[in-house]
């Protein structure tokens, strides 16, 4: 996967974390992971279709997820990862992917985003057919968020 | 059909003619297709300058709502009048518990029918009649919260009855005080703060259940102990009264009050959350589920740059309401504002990027009213 395809996701993650998640973020070392990968306590998968095909997966600890949800919910106290908190974390993932896809669209790479799916539990593994994941580790004030990206060109 | 420049296209518009790949006869997008954000990007990236858009008015959902809203609005009006009659007559004779219960039952069946449209109605405010319309609107909001919290039908009945009567004690406070323009004097404040106790007395005299009586007495108590009349806190306050604390404040905030400016739904939510220690977190959580993150009537900016108004919310997708896109990214009012359900699978490339501040809100509402399409 080319770096210029990754940069929009990175920029989107920083932007959405700051504006919606109310936290600064720092990027760790990028790496590759072969499919399947083991998830974290809370995992959200967002599909991408169009000129690019694949998945973007957001993984974090439950404590990070509830804190992120609270910040997205205007500071509402979030005690557990209930339905409202889940929709907040899902929407966060949707926003990052939608934002990145918008930026790709400005470069004539036209994609759409499919609804996020959230999986809770340590035993979750995620796979992407025939693809390896690019892993973006982010350190935030709420805890670590890892983004796994597996995208290929539709006509490639 | 109308020709629209590609820069003015917004998702949800319907194509009136096929779009061909430039210089070919290959159809890229067929006539009748509802444009998505990706299709619009594709059209722009192909350098196409304008396309034909189908102008036939509104989709079937709009038609249904146009029919339903006046009916619901009349019911709502009738409900307010009924509550007014009941409450006024309570000055001469004890309130009939059965009459109030049957009103609560009517409200409950309306909530079950189309809660989203009903929620819309609670947000249409008139200048007069505050006490009675407030009672009905608080009852609707309270029932919606009770539903989310999983109350049984029987419990909802009790809750609705209590909500309709929570401010009954205001009748014992001189009208000059609760309709006063401007700030209350300390003596007047003391008098206003007696209304929960007056309410308790009136309801007890009419033989209402202990639960209904407690809600009237405790609806101004606050979770952190800062309320009145008894300064109760947390579990000392009945759960139903903790619900009323939230719905009562919210409705008061979005209503016209003589002593302060009317707030937008977003401002009212912000207000509640800025004092979140005063409310039970479980109730706040349920209330946000009902109102959604971007409440009805909010003006929001989508990630595509268009400005839309939230027209329907759903507790299943609090971040993804139904919106109507009124302005293109340059801020031009659209002739034919499309309606988009952000929760639908095909619309997930869009998201709400931010809400506009309250002043903008009023300005945009005026621009839309001025154009007068009268859409729901």
């Amino acid at each position: 996967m080319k770096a210029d395809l990754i940069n929009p996701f990175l920029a989107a993650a920083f932007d959405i974390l700051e504006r919606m998640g109310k936290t600064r973020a720092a990027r760790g070392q990028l790496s590759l992971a072969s499919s399947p990968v083991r998830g974290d306590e809370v995992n959200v998968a967002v599909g991408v279709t169009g000129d690019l095909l694949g998945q973007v997966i957001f993984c974090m600890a439950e404590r990070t997820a509830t804190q992120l949800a609270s910040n997205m919910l205007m500071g509402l106290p979030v005690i557990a990862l209930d339905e409202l908190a889940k929709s907040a974390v899902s929407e966060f993932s949707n926003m990052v992917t939608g934002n990145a896809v918008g930026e790709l669209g400005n470069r004539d790479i036209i994609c759409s985003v499919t609804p996020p799916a959230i999986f809770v539990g340590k035993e979750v593994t995620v796979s992407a057919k025939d693809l390896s994941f690019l892993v973006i580790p982010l350190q935030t004030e709420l805890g670590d968020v890892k983004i796994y990206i597996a995208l290929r060109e539709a006509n490639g | 059909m109308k020709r629209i420049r590609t820069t003015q296209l917004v998702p949800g518009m319907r194509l009136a003619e096929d779009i061909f790949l430039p210089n070919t006869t290959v159809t890229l997008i067929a006539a009748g297709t509802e444009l998505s954000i990706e299709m619009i990007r594709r059209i722009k990236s192909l350098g196409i300058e304008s396309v034909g858009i189908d102008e036939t008015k509104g989709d079937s959902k709009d038609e249904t709502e146009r029919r339903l809203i006046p009916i619901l609005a009349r019911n709502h009006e009738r409900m307010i009048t009924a509550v007014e009659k009941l409450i006024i007559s309570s000055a001469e004779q004890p309130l009939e518990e059965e009459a109030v219960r049957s009103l609560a039952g009517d409200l409950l069946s309306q909530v079950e029918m189309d809660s989203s449209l009903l929620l819309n109605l609670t947000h249409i405010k008139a200048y007069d009649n505050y006490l009675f319309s407030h009672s009905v609107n608080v009852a609707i909001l309270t029932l919606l919260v009770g539903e989310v919290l999983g109350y049984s039908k029987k419990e909802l009945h009790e809750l609705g009855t209590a909500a309709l009567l929570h401010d009954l004690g205001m009748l014992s406070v001189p009208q000059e005080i609760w309709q006063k323009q401007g700030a209350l004097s300390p003596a007047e404040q003391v008098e206003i703060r007696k209304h929960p106790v007056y309410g308790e007395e009136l309801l007890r005299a009419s033989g209402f259940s202990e639960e209904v009586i407690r809600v009237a007495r405790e609806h101004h108590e606050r979770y952190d102990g800062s309320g009145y009349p008894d300064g109760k806190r947390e579990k000392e306050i009945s759960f139903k009264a903790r619900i009323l604390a939230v719905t009562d404040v919210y409705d008061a905030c979005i209503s016209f009050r003589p002593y302060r400016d009317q707030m937008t739904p977003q401002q009212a939510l912000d207000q509640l959350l800025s004092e979140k220690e005063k409310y039970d977190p479980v109730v706040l959580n349920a209330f946000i589920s009902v109102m959604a993150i971007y409440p009805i009537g909010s003006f929001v900016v989508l990630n595509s740059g268009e400005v839309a108004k939230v027209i329907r919310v759903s507790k299943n997708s609090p971040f993804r309401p139904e919106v109507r896109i009124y302005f293109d990214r340059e801020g031009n009012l659209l002739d034919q504002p499309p309606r988009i359900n952000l929760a639908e699978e095909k619309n997930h490339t869009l998201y709400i990027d931010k809400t506009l501040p309250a002043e903008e809100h009023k300005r945009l509402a005026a621009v839309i009213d001025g154009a007068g399409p009268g859409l729901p």
Side-chain angles (χ1 to χ4, degrees):
Chain A
M1 220 169 353
K2 296 179 208 119
D4 59 342
L5 292 185
I6 297 306
N7 288 335
F9 286 91
L10 203 51
F14 281 124
D15 176 47
I16 303 293
L17 274 170
E18 186 171 337
R19 287 191 302 123
M20 312 285 176
K22 316 275 181 230
T23 173
R24 293 177 166 282
R27 176 173 72 86
Q29 192 67 43
L30 301 186
S31 62
L32 284 172
S34 51
S35 177
V37 293
R38 176 167 289 267
D40 205 326
E41 288 168 355
V42 179
N43 313 283
V44 184
V46 185
V48 174
T49 61
D51 291 347
L52 296 175
L53 286 173
Q55 294 200 73
V56 185
I57 300 156
F58 300 78
C59 305
M60 63 197 90
E62 182 160 347
R63 209 173 46 84
T64 307
T66 48
Q67 192 58 52
L68 176 63
S70 172
N71 291 355
M72 300 238 345
L73 294 163
M74 301 167 285
L76 181 77
V78 174
I79 308 134
L81 200 67
D82 55 14
E83 289 310 309
L84 192 58
K86 280 185 194 167
S87 53
V89 179
S90 298
E91 185 62 15
F92 164 79
S93 311
N94 197 143
M95 284 174 168
V96 172
T97 315
N99 185 310
V101 158
E103 177 52 35
L104 290 170
N106 293 338
R107 309 180 195 169
D108 287 351
I109 302 169
I110 318 282
C111 304
S112 55
V113 172
T114 64
I118 186 163
F119 306 95
V120 179
K122 260 279 185 207
E123 297 311 308
V124 174
T125 57
V126 227
S127 55
K129 200 174 62 178
D130 306 333
L131 285 177
S132 55
F133 286 98
L134 185 99
V135 190
I136 307 178
L138 295 172
Q139 286 100 45
T140 80
E141 294 157 47
L142 317 173
D144 292 349
V145 177
K146 265 191 189 152
I147 307 177
Y148 294 84
I149 305 179
L151 294 174
R152 64 179 170 86
E153 281 169 44
N155 306 315
Chain B
M1 187 185 94
K2 185 176 180 184
R3 294 220 69 80
I4 302 248
R5 289 216 313 280
T6 39
T7 51
Q8 305 253 321
L9 290 175
V10 301
M13 287 180 167
R14 196 174 293 283
L15 273 187
E17 55 182 12
D18 289 354
I19 291 187
F20 301 103
L21 275 175
N23 309 319
T24 70
T25 53
V26 180
T27 304
L28 182 67
I29 312 171
T33 306
E34 202 181 289
L35 291 176
S36 69
I37 182 173
E38 301 83 28
M39 291 174 194
I40 294 171
R41 282 192 194 128
R42 184 72 79 195
I43 294 168
K44 285 180 188 163
S45 82
L46 289 171
I48 295 168
E49 289 200 345
S50 70
V51 296
I53 290 296
D54 189 352
E55 273 196 302
T56 43
K57 264 287 176 199
D59 56 28
S60 59
K61 233 172 168 179
D62 280 346
E63 293 309 318
T64 318
E65 287 192 6
R66 239 191 279 268
R67 268 202 322 275
L68 254 177
I69 286 172
I71 298 171
L72 283 171
R74 266 201 304 280
N75 280 348
H76 191 245
E77 238 358 89
R78 229 178 267 143
M79 193 67 70
I80 293 169
T81 315
V83 169
E84 178 172 1
K85 265 195 198 139
L86 255 172
I87 291 182
I88 296 286
S89 71
S90 76
E92 282 115 41
Q93 65 205 59
L95 263 180
E96 276 180 51
E97 186 169 357
E98 244 344 279
V100 186
R101 281 190 180 278
S102 107
L103 279 180
D106 287 354
L107 270 187
L108 186 53
S109 44
Q110 286 184 47
V111 164
E112 284 164 349
M113 199 164 72
D114 191 331
S115 59
S116 181
L117 279 186
L118 206 56
L119 189 59
N120 261 333
L121 283 183
T122 64
H123 284 72
I124 300 170
K125 298 296 180 186
Y127 279 100
D128 53 352
N129 230 357
Y130 172 69
L131 187 55
F132 311 111
S133 58
H134 174 68
S135 299
V136 170
N137 291 333
V138 167
I140 293 170
L141 295 175
T142 304
L143 287 173
L144 291 169
V145 173
E147 259 194 336
V148 167
L149 290 167
Y151 273 34
S152 69
K153 201 153 180 163
K154 187 163 162 276
E155 291 268 38
L156 286 173
H157 246 99
E158 190 81 2
L159 185 62
T161 306
L164 280 173
L165 297 173
H166 76 281
D167 262 346
L168 187 63
M170 277 295 187
L171 286 183
S172 308
V173 175
Q175 195 162 341
E176 311 86 78
I177 298 182
W178 50 270
Q179 293 195 331
K180 186 181 170 182
Q181 309 274 336
L184 295 176
S185 71
E188 289 166 333
Q189 260 183 38
V190 168
E191 191 54 31
I192 279 273
R193 287 179 163 227
K194 287 182 185 162
H195 81 271
V197 179
Y198 292 151
E200 177 190 14
E201 287 163 2
L202 287 168
L203 289 169
R204 199 174 292 286
S206 296
F208 277 83
S209 74
E210 208 52 42
E211 256 198 304
V212 172
I213 293 171
R214 267 189 86 180
V215 170
R217 179 163 183 119
E218 295 178 346
H219 74 278
H220 278 285
E221 300 290 358
R222 294 295 177 256
Y223 206 61
D224 61 356
S226 65
Y228 60 87
D230 302 311
K232 288 184 182 169
R233 56 195 313 140
E234 299 182 19
K235 304 259 151 47
E236 292 164 5
I237 311 164
S238 78
F239 192 68
K240 291 189 170 77
R242 282 181 255 157
I243 302 179
L244 256 290
V246 173
T247 52
D248 180 31
V249 169
Y250 177 83
D251 187 68
C253 284
I254 62 168
S255 300
F256 294 104
R257 304 301 292 129
Y259 47 86
R260 56 146 181 75
D261 286 339
Q262 184 194 24
M263 292 186 198
T264 65
Q266 192 73 56
Q267 284 175 308
L269 278 190
D270 288 344
Q271 166 76 24
L272 280 171
L273 287 166
S274 72
E275 303 180 327
K276 53 178 176 270
E277 61 286 347
K278 292 188 173 182
Y279 309 101
D280 184 337
V282 173
V283 174
L284 268 185
N285 207 288
F287 187 69
I288 299 289
S289 299
V290 169
M291 301 309 304
I293 312 307
Y294 308 102
I296 274 177
S298 306
F299 281 96
V300 296
V301 184
L302 303 178
N303 56 322
S304 52
E306 288 123 4
V307 174
K309 185 181 174 187
V310 175
I311 56 171
R312 236 175 200 274
V313 297
S314 152
K315 53 182 176 287
N316 299 320
S317 50
F319 283 91
R320 304 200 143 259
E322 240 177 291
V323 300
R324 191 180 297 288
I325 299 181
Y326 275 107
F327 300 92
D328 69 15
R329 51 194 307 165
E330 277 80 40
N332 305 308
L333 182 65
L334 297 168
D335 288 349
Q336 199 197 337
R339 167 185 190 136
I340 303 286
N341 185 352
L342 293 175
E344 277 178 25
E345 182 161 348
K346 63 177 185 209
N347 294 326
H348 271 262
T349 310
L350 288 169
Y351 62 86
I352 293 177
D353 194 59
K354 60 179 178 216
T355 36
L356 289 171
E359 317 83 69
E360 262 311 84
H361 191 113
K362 278 164 193 158
R363 189 183 67 81
L364 295 180
V367 171
I368 293 168
D369 282 351
L375 291 160

